[in-house]
Amino acid sequence: MIDIIHRVGIKAPAAKVYNAVATVDGVAGWWTKETTGESKVGGVITVRFRDHGAETEKGRMDLDVVKLNPGKEVHWRVSAGPPEWIGTDVTFTLAQEGEYTVLLFGHRNWREAVEFMAHCSMKWATFLLSLREYVETGKGKPSPQDLKIDNWN
Amino acid sequence: MIDIIHRVGIKAPAAKVYNAVATVDGVAGWWTKETTGESKVGGVITVRFRDHGAETEKGRMDLDVVKLNPGKEVHWRVSAGPPEWIGTDVTFTLAQEGEYTVLLFGHRNWREAVEFMAHCSMKWATFLLSLREYVETGKGKPSPQDLKIDNWN
């Protein structure tokens, strides 16, 4: 198994963090403003990232919603997008610890630890900081306002 | 192999990024102000992180300097610190790509993908953003001014 895993603590109830991950409006608040689809088990969420305003093939991902466990867990499987992403799993697991909701994030089952995975690991970290801001303050940094981290964006 | 890998692009010559990683003064500029030791092959660098000002056992790591390839690569092996870190490898590999120095970071050879690894992955991402700021602007966010990410710090 080749996995990206991150841990972040958010000062908010688990239900609020869950809503930010388990709804289309929530995801649009911290990952990309261009989030569409249906967040229900068996549904598909589509996210789009543009390259200087232009639509690109690798800037669009479809995420099949595999599991929605309210207040606890969200699980997506990638069914379209960059070839390296297809078939991988994205998981969010929540646990209340004192004043924090601790979010364990996983982007799991990469086939190879390629340089693009290192880019995505760094980029996910910045999106999780955006998620924390979104939940704690109401304002995240979803694409196209996302923090750029390298020459791949 | 269970590895943390990240990729970040820094708008500076590779030699400048290298100095920020390959020297004690450099590391003190973005990771922790309390960096001591000798950065030469066969030498040991010691870094310390305090818990609300107090020294703690797990807040101190010794890094054996395995490789220093000027402008290209730095490799440390952890010889003291948290049990999960001992025997792991920390690597920085640099490549010039246009106006960027692309840094491939690795914290490699964890024995298990424990929750502490997820914490460290997130924390390394924030320290790499600190490294980028340090190199590009002269001012990073080394501990104790580091960004706190969860209830473990």
Side-chain angles (χ1 to χ4, degrees):
Chain A
M1 302 297 200
I2 303 174
D3 299 343
I4 295 166
I5 56 173
H6 291 309
R7 184 184 196 272
V8 68
I10 301 177
K11 286 188 181 168
K16 196 170 173 189
V17 179
Y18 177 78
N19 281 338
V21 178
T23 68
V24 166
D25 281 356
V27 173
W30 61 269
W31 195 18
T32 173
K33 287 189 177 173
E34 292 190 75
T35 302
T36 55
E38 270 200 296
S39 183
K40 62 175 190 185
V41 174
V44 180
I45 297 172
T46 299
V47 291
R48 182 177 284 290
F49 302 84
R50 291 170 191 267
D51 184 6
H52 299 89
E55 294 190 1
T56 65
E57 195 148 346
K58 72 170 186 177
R60 179 204 151 119
M61 295 87 150
D62 287 343
L63 307 157
D64 295 351
V65 180
V66 176
K67 196 188 257 191
L68 290 173
N69 187 354
K72 294 196 178 152
E73 190 187 359
V74 172
H75 178 176
W76 302 326
R77 184 160 297 137
V78 181
S79 57
E84 299 91 338
W85 276 47
I86 293 176
T88 59
D89 292 276
V90 180
T91 58
F92 303 83
T93 309
L94 307 178
Q96 195 86 40
E97 295 189 18
E99 62 183 339
Y100 287 92
T101 295
V102 171
L103 164 59
L104 272 180
F105 167 84
H107 185 178
R108 300 173 188 278
N109 304 317
W110 287 68
R111 285 175 291 279
E112 290 181 275
V114 291
E115 196 165 335
F116 181 52
M117 176 177 155
H119 166 84
C120 292
S121 179
M122 188 74 196
K123 196 80 193 180
W124 275 122
T126 66
F127 281 122
L128 294 172
L129 294 176
S130 168
L131 168 60
R132 177 169 78 170
E133 269 186 76
Y134 173 66
V135 172
E136 289 182 353
T137 74
K139 200 164 161 42
K141 289 197 186 75
S143 171
Q145 274 84 52
D146 54 319
L147 184 70
K148 310 308 180 199
I149 56 154
D150 62 21
N151 54 338
W152 291 348
N153 179 5
Chain B
M1 304 295 201
I2 303 175
D3 299 344
I4 295 166
I5 56 173
H6 291 309
R7 184 184 197 271
V8 68
I10 300 175
K11 286 187 181 168
K16 196 171 173 188
V17 179
Y18 178 79
N19 282 338
V21 178
T23 67
V24 167
D25 281 355
V27 173
W30 61 270
W31 195 17
T32 173
K33 287 188 177 176
E34 292 190 77
T35 302
T36 54
E38 271 199 295
S39 183
K40 62 175 190 186
V41 174
V44 180
I45 298 174
T46 299
V47 291
R48 183 177 283 290
F49 302 84
R50 291 170 191 268
D51 184 6
H52 299 89
E55 295 191 1
T56 65
E57 195 148 347
K58 73 170 185 177
R60 179 204 151 119
M61 295 86 151
D62 288 342
L63 308 156
D64 296 350
V65 180
V66 177
K67 195 190 258 193
L68 290 172
N69 187 354
K72 294 194 177 153
E73 190 186 1
V74 172
H75 178 176
W76 302 326
R77 183 161 296 139
V78 181
S79 57
E84 299 91 337
W85 276 46
I86 293 175
T88 60
D89 293 275
V90 180
T91 58
F92 302 83
T93 308
L94 308 178
Q96 195 85 39
E97 295 190 17
E99 62 182 341
Y100 287 92
T101 295
V102 171
L103 165 59
L104 273 179
F105 168 83
H107 185 179
R108 301 174 187 277
N109 303 317
W110 287 68
R111 284 175 292 278
E112 290 181 276
V114 290
E115 195 165 334
F116 181 51
M117 178 177 153
H119 166 83
C120 292
S121 179
M122 188 74 195
K123 196 78 193 180
W124 274 122
T126 67
F127 280 122
L128 294 172
L129 294 176
S130 168
L131 168 60
R132 177 169 78 169
E133 270 185 75
Y134 173 65
V135 172
E136 288 183 353
T137 74
K139 198 162 161 45
K141 290 196 186 75
S143 170
Q145 273 84 50
D146 54 320
L147 184 70
K148 310 308 181 199
I149 56 156
D150 61 21
N151 54 337
W152 291 349
N153 179 9

